[in-house]
mmCIF file of all heavy atoms in Angstrom:
data_model
loop_
_atom_site.group_PDB
_atom_site.id
_atom_site.type_symbol
_atom_site.label_atom_id
_atom_site.label_comp_id
_atom_site.label_asym_id
_atom_site.label_seq_id
_atom_site.Cartn_x
_atom_site.Cartn_y
_atom_site.Cartn_z
ATOM 1 N N PRO B 127 -57.255 53.756 -4.406
ATOM 2 C CA PRO B 127 -56.269 54.777 -4.734
ATOM 3 C C PRO B 127 -55.531 54.528 -6.057
ATOM 4 O O PRO B 127 -54.840 55.397 -6.530
ATOM 5 C CB PRO B 127 -55.286 54.709 -3.553
ATOM 6 C CG PRO B 127 -55.453 53.343 -2.985
ATOM 7 C CD PRO B 127 -56.766 52.800 -3.445
ATOM 8 N N ARG B 130 -54.096 55.919 -11.486
ATOM 9 C CA ARG B 130 -53.291 56.025 -12.711
ATOM 10 C C ARG B 130 -53.121 54.676 -13.412
ATOM 11 O O ARG B 130 -52.792 53.687 -12.770
ATOM 12 C CB ARG B 130 -51.907 56.571 -12.366
ATOM 13 C CG ARG B 130 -51.886 58.078 -12.245
ATOM 14 C CD ARG B 130 -50.540 58.551 -11.796
ATOM 15 N NE ARG B 130 -50.611 59.079 -10.452
ATOM 16 C CZ ARG B 130 -49.598 59.679 -9.840
ATOM 17 N NH1 ARG B 130 -48.435 59.794 -10.448
ATOM 18 N NH2 ARG B 130 -49.739 60.153 -8.640
ATOM 19 N N THR B 133 -49.735 53.108 -13.081
ATOM 20 C CA THR B 133 -49.495 52.384 -11.833
ATOM 21 C C THR B 133 -49.860 50.914 -11.959
ATOM 22 O O THR B 133 -49.106 50.040 -11.543
ATOM 23 C CB THR B 133 -50.314 53.024 -10.700
ATOM 24 O OG1 THR B 133 -49.912 54.375 -10.575
ATOM 25 C CG2 THR B 133 -50.101 52.289 -9.401
ATOM 26 N N LYS B 136 -47.242 49.144 -13.816
ATOM 27 C CA LYS B 136 -46.046 48.916 -13.006
ATOM 28 C C LYS B 136 -46.249 47.760 -12.027
ATOM 29 O O LYS B 136 -45.364 46.927 -11.836
ATOM 30 C CB LYS B 136 -45.692 50.193 -12.235
ATOM 31 C CG LYS B 136 -44.271 50.213 -11.689
ATOM 32 C CD LYS B 136 -43.278 50.480 -12.803
ATOM 33 C CE LYS B 136 -41.831 50.305 -12.378
ATOM 34 N NZ LYS B 136 -40.905 50.582 -13.496
ATOM 35 N N ILE B 167 -36.484 49.791 -10.293
ATOM 36 C CA ILE B 167 -36.755 50.657 -9.154
ATOM 37 C C ILE B 167 -35.962 50.114 -7.963
ATOM 38 O O ILE B 167 -35.231 49.132 -8.115
ATOM 39 C CB ILE B 167 -38.267 50.747 -8.814
ATOM 40 C CG1 ILE B 167 -38.837 49.367 -8.497
ATOM 41 C CG2 ILE B 167 -39.037 51.403 -9.941
ATOM 42 C CD1 ILE B 167 -40.286 49.405 -8.030
ATOM 43 N N THR B 168 -36.113 50.743 -6.822
ATOM 44 C CA THR B 168 -35.427 50.226 -5.633
ATOM 45 C C THR B 168 -36.374 49.295 -4.876
ATOM 46 O O THR B 168 -37.577 49.255 -5.146
ATOM 47 C CB THR B 168 -35.014 51.367 -4.692
ATOM 48 O OG1 THR B 168 -36.200 52.025 -4.237
ATOM 49 C CG2 THR B 168 -34.107 52.358 -5.402
ATOM 50 N N HIS B 174 -43.492 50.040 -1.548
ATOM 51 C CA HIS B 174 -44.518 51.076 -1.688
ATOM 52 C C HIS B 174 -45.779 50.490 -2.324
ATOM 53 O O HIS B 174 -46.890 50.792 -1.906
ATOM 54 C CB HIS B 174 -43.980 52.224 -2.532
ATOM 55 C CG HIS B 174 -45.041 53.148 -3.035
ATOM 56 N ND1 HIS B 174 -45.727 54.018 -2.202
ATOM 57 C CD2 HIS B 174 -45.555 53.321 -4.267
ATOM 58 C CE1 HIS B 174 -46.602 54.700 -2.923
ATOM 59 N NE2 HIS B 174 -46.518 54.292 -4.174
ATOM 60 N N HIS B 175 -45.591 49.645 -3.307
ATOM 61 C CA HIS B 175 -46.741 49.085 -4.017
ATOM 62 C C HIS B 175 -47.393 47.927 -3.274
ATOM 63 O O HIS B 175 -48.610 47.750 -3.342
ATOM 64 C CB HIS B 175 -46.321 48.605 -5.408
ATOM 65 C CG HIS B 175 -46.122 49.707 -6.388
ATOM 66 N ND1 HIS B 175 -47.155 50.446 -6.897
ATOM 67 C CD2 HIS B 175 -44.996 50.215 -6.932
ATOM 68 C CE1 HIS B 175 -46.683 51.369 -7.734
ATOM 69 N NE2 HIS B 175 -45.370 51.249 -7.768
ATOM 70 P P DT D 275 -54.511 63.973 0.850
ATOM 71 O OP1 DT D 275 -55.736 63.311 1.334
ATOM 72 O OP2 DT D 275 -53.384 64.247 1.766
ATOM 73 O "O5'" DT D 275 -53.979 63.146 -0.395
ATOM 74 C "C5'" DT D 275 -54.781 63.104 -1.573
ATOM 75 C "C4'" DT D 275 -54.046 62.328 -2.648
ATOM 76 O "O4'" DT D 275 -53.006 63.151 -3.230
ATOM 77 C "C3'" DT D 275 -53.371 61.055 -2.151
ATOM 78 O "O3'" DT D 275 -53.748 59.999 -3.021
ATOM 79 C "C2'" DT D 275 -51.890 61.371 -2.201
ATOM 80 C "C1'" DT D 275 -51.828 62.399 -3.340
ATOM 81 N N1 DT D 275 -50.696 63.368 -3.252
ATOM 82 C C2 DT D 275 -49.908 63.554 -4.361
ATOM 83 O O2 DT D 275 -50.065 62.954 -5.406
ATOM 84 N N3 DT D 275 -48.908 64.495 -4.203
ATOM 85 C C4 DT D 275 -48.631 65.236 -3.060
ATOM 86 O O4 DT D 275 -47.705 66.042 -3.052
ATOM 87 C C5 DT D 275 -49.488 64.988 -1.935
ATOM 88 C C7 DT D 275 -49.282 65.728 -0.649
ATOM 89 C C6 DT D 275 -50.476 64.072 -2.087
ATOM 90 P P DT D 276 -53.330 58.510 -2.779
ATOM 91 O OP1 DT D 276 -54.453 57.633 -3.163
ATOM 92 O OP2 DT D 276 -52.740 58.413 -1.432
ATOM 93 O "O5'" DT D 276 -52.187 58.339 -3.871
ATOM 94 C "C5'" DT D 276 -52.474 58.703 -5.215
ATOM 95 C "C4'" DT D 276 -51.216 58.633 -6.063
ATOM 96 O "O4'" DT D 276 -50.319 59.699 -5.715
ATOM 97 C "C3'" DT D 276 -50.429 57.331 -5.910
ATOM 98 O "O3'" DT D 276 -50.174 56.854 -7.209
ATOM 99 C "C2'" DT D 276 -49.175 57.758 -5.170
ATOM 100 C "C1'" DT D 276 -49.013 59.197 -5.654
ATOM 101 N N1 DT D 276 -48.267 60.123 -4.743
ATOM 102 C C2 DT D 276 -47.270 60.897 -5.273
ATOM 103 O O2 DT D 276 -46.948 60.865 -6.436
ATOM 104 N N3 DT D 276 -46.658 61.742 -4.370
ATOM 105 C C4 DT D 276 -46.948 61.864 -3.019
ATOM 106 O O4 DT D 276 -46.338 62.662 -2.316
ATOM 107 C C5 DT D 276 -48.016 61.026 -2.536
ATOM 108 C C7 DT D 276 -48.410 61.091 -1.091
ATOM 109 C C6 DT D 276 -48.614 60.195 -3.410
ATOM 110 P P DA D 277 -49.524 55.441 -7.460
ATOM 111 O OP1 DA D 277 -49.974 54.898 -8.755
ATOM 112 O OP2 DA D 277 -49.675 54.624 -6.234
ATOM 113 O "O5'" DA D 277 -47.993 55.850 -7.619
ATOM 114 C "C5'" DA D 277 -47.538 56.378 -8.861
ATOM 115 C "C4'" DA D 277 -46.057 56.641 -8.766
ATOM 116 O "O4'" DA D 277 -45.813 57.563 -7.685
ATOM 117 C "C3'" DA D 277 -45.227 55.376 -8.435
ATOM 118 O "O3'" DA D 277 -44.075 55.361 -9.248
ATOM 119 C "C2'" DA D 277 -44.876 55.571 -6.969
ATOM 120 C "C1'" DA D 277 -44.739 57.078 -6.917
ATOM 121 N N9 DA D 277 -44.854 57.654 -5.573
ATOM 122 C C8 DA D 277 -45.675 57.248 -4.549
ATOM 123 N N7 DA D 277 -45.554 57.961 -3.454
ATOM 124 C C5 DA D 277 -44.581 58.895 -3.774
ATOM 125 C C6 DA D 277 -43.993 59.953 -3.044
ATOM 126 N N6 DA D 277 -44.313 60.232 -1.780
ATOM 127 N N1 DA D 277 -43.058 60.707 -3.680
ATOM 128 C C2 DA D 277 -42.737 60.413 -4.940
ATOM 129 N N3 DA D 277 -43.229 59.451 -5.728
ATOM 130 C C4 DA D 277 -44.151 58.733 -5.080
ATOM 131 P P DC D 278 -43.355 53.973 -9.491
ATOM 132 O OP1 DC D 278 -42.254 54.246 -10.428
ATOM 133 O OP2 DC D 278 -44.341 52.944 -9.811
ATOM 134 O "O5'" DC D 278 -42.764 53.654 -8.030
ATOM 135 C "C5'" DC D 278 -41.370 53.633 -7.832
ATOM 136 C "C4'" DC D 278 -40.847 55.053 -7.549
ATOM 137 O "O4'" DC D 278 -41.759 55.751 -6.700
ATOM 138 C "C3'" DC D 278 -39.537 55.100 -6.800
ATOM 139 O "O3'" DC D 278 -38.469 54.878 -7.700
ATOM 140 C "C2'" DC D 278 -39.544 56.492 -6.234
ATOM 141 C "C1'" DC D 278 -41.043 56.768 -6.011
ATOM 142 N N1 DC D 278 -41.500 56.791 -4.588
ATOM 143 C C2 DC D 278 -41.036 57.792 -3.729
ATOM 144 O O2 DC D 278 -40.233 58.631 -4.153
ATOM 145 N N3 DC D 278 -41.456 57.827 -2.434
ATOM 146 C C4 DC D 278 -42.328 56.905 -2.002
ATOM 147 N N4 DC D 278 -42.726 56.980 -0.728
ATOM 148 C C5 DC D 278 -42.816 55.864 -2.859
ATOM 149 C C6 DC D 278 -42.380 55.842 -4.121
ATOM 150 P P DT D 279 -37.199 54.119 -7.211
ATOM 151 O OP1 DT D 279 -36.412 53.729 -8.399
ATOM 152 O OP2 DT D 279 -37.583 53.117 -6.227
ATOM 153 O "O5'" DT D 279 -36.402 55.273 -6.457
ATOM 154 C "C5'" DT D 279 -36.128 56.514 -7.134
ATOM 155 C "C4'" DT D 279 -35.373 57.437 -6.192
ATOM 156 O "O4'" DT D 279 -36.281 57.857 -5.132
ATOM 157 C "C3'" DT D 279 -34.185 56.755 -5.528
ATOM 158 O "O3'" DT D 279 -33.004 57.498 -5.721
ATOM 159 C "C2'" DT D 279 -34.548 56.658 -4.056
ATOM 160 C "C1'" DT D 279 -35.678 57.658 -3.875
ATOM 161 N N1 DT D 279 -36.725 57.107 -2.965
ATOM 162 C C2 DT D 279 -36.939 57.706 -1.759
ATOM 163 O O2 DT D 279 -36.314 58.686 -1.379
ATOM 164 N N3 DT D 279 -37.921 57.116 -0.990
ATOM 165 C C4 DT D 279 -38.684 56.011 -1.307
ATOM 166 O O4 DT D 279 -39.535 55.587 -0.531
ATOM 167 C C5 DT D 279 -38.392 55.414 -2.597
ATOM 168 C C7 DT D 279 -39.150 54.224 -3.032
ATOM 169 C C6 DT D 279 -37.455 55.982 -3.355
ATOM 170 P P DT D 280 -31.612 56.789 -5.397
ATOM 171 O OP1 DT D 280 -30.634 57.253 -6.394
ATOM 172 O OP2 DT D 280 -31.853 55.345 -5.199
ATOM 173 O "O5'" DT D 280 -31.249 57.403 -3.983
ATOM 174 C "C5'" DT D 280 -31.392 58.794 -3.747
ATOM 175 C "C4'" DT D 280 -31.205 59.084 -2.270
ATOM 176 O "O4'" DT D 280 -32.404 58.698 -1.543
ATOM 177 C "C3'" DT D 280 -30.042 58.335 -1.607
ATOM 178 O "O3'" DT D 280 -29.339 59.255 -0.784
ATOM 179 C "C2'" DT D 280 -30.727 57.245 -0.800
ATOM 180 C "C1'" DT D 280 -32.045 57.900 -0.432
ATOM 181 N N1 DT D 280 -33.185 56.976 -0.204
ATOM 182 C C2 DT D 280 -33.965 57.137 0.928
ATOM 183 O O2 DT D 280 -33.778 57.993 1.760
ATOM 184 N N3 DT D 280 -35.000 56.238 1.039
ATOM 185 C C4 DT D 280 -35.319 55.223 0.160
ATOM 186 O O4 DT D 280 -36.276 54.481 0.372
ATOM 187 C C5 DT D 280 -34.462 55.105 -0.998
ATOM 188 C C7 DT D 280 -34.735 54.041 -2.000
ATOM 189 C C6 DT D 280 -33.452 55.979 -1.125
ATOM 190 P P DA D 281 -27.952 58.898 -0.132
ATOM 191 O OP1 DA D 281 -27.112 60.112 -0.122
ATOM 192 O OP2 DA D 281 -27.453 57.642 -0.732
ATOM 193 O "O5'" DA D 281 -28.417 58.605 1.365
ATOM 194 C "C5'" DA D 281 -29.396 59.448 1.979
ATOM 195 C "C4'" DA D 281 -29.738 58.898 3.346
ATOM 196 O "O4'" DA D 281 -30.889 58.019 3.244
ATOM 197 C "C3'" DA D 281 -28.615 58.071 3.987
ATOM 198 O "O3'" DA D 281 -28.439 58.506 5.320
ATOM 199 C "C2'" DA D 281 -29.108 56.638 3.870
ATOM 200 C "C1'" DA D 281 -30.621 56.826 3.952
ATOM 201 N N9 DA D 281 -31.401 55.752 3.322
ATOM 202 C C8 DA D 281 -31.155 55.123 2.140
ATOM 203 N N7 DA D 281 -32.019 54.194 1.828
ATOM 204 C C5 DA D 281 -32.917 54.206 2.895
ATOM 205 C C6 DA D 281 -34.071 53.471 3.184
ATOM 206 N N6 DA D 281 -34.548 52.508 2.371
ATOM 207 N N1 DA D 281 -34.725 53.733 4.332
ATOM 208 C C2 DA D 281 -34.238 54.694 5.137
ATOM 209 N N3 DA D 281 -33.161 55.466 4.977
ATOM 210 C C4 DA D 281 -32.541 55.168 3.820
ATOM 211 P P DC D 282 -27.259 57.926 6.237
ATOM 212 O OP1 DC D 282 -26.737 59.071 7.008
ATOM 213 O OP2 DC D 282 -26.374 57.066 5.430
ATOM 214 O "O5'" DC D 282 -28.063 57.003 7.252
ATOM 215 C "C5'" DC D 282 -29.312 57.472 7.765
ATOM 216 C "C4'" DC D 282 -30.091 56.300 8.306
ATOM 217 O "O4'" DC D 282 -30.680 55.553 7.227
ATOM 218 C "C3'" DC D 282 -29.250 55.314 9.095
ATOM 219 O "O3'" DC D 282 -29.515 55.482 10.476
ATOM 220 C "C2'" DC D 282 -29.673 53.948 8.559
ATOM 221 C "C1'" DC D 282 -30.906 54.243 7.720
ATOM 222 N N1 DC D 282 -31.081 53.308 6.569
ATOM 223 C C2 DC D 282 -32.181 52.459 6.566
ATOM 224 O O2 DC D 282 -32.995 52.495 7.497
ATOM 225 N N3 DC D 282 -32.354 51.606 5.522
ATOM 226 C C4 DC D 282 -31.470 51.593 4.520
ATOM 227 N N4 DC D 282 -31.679 50.733 3.515
ATOM 228 C C5 DC D 282 -30.340 52.442 4.506
ATOM 229 C C6 DC D 282 -30.179 53.286 5.543
#
Side-chain angles (χ1 to χ4, degrees):
Chain B
R130 278 175 249 186
T133 301
K136 197 76 189 180
I167 59 175
T168 63
H174 165 71
H175 284 290

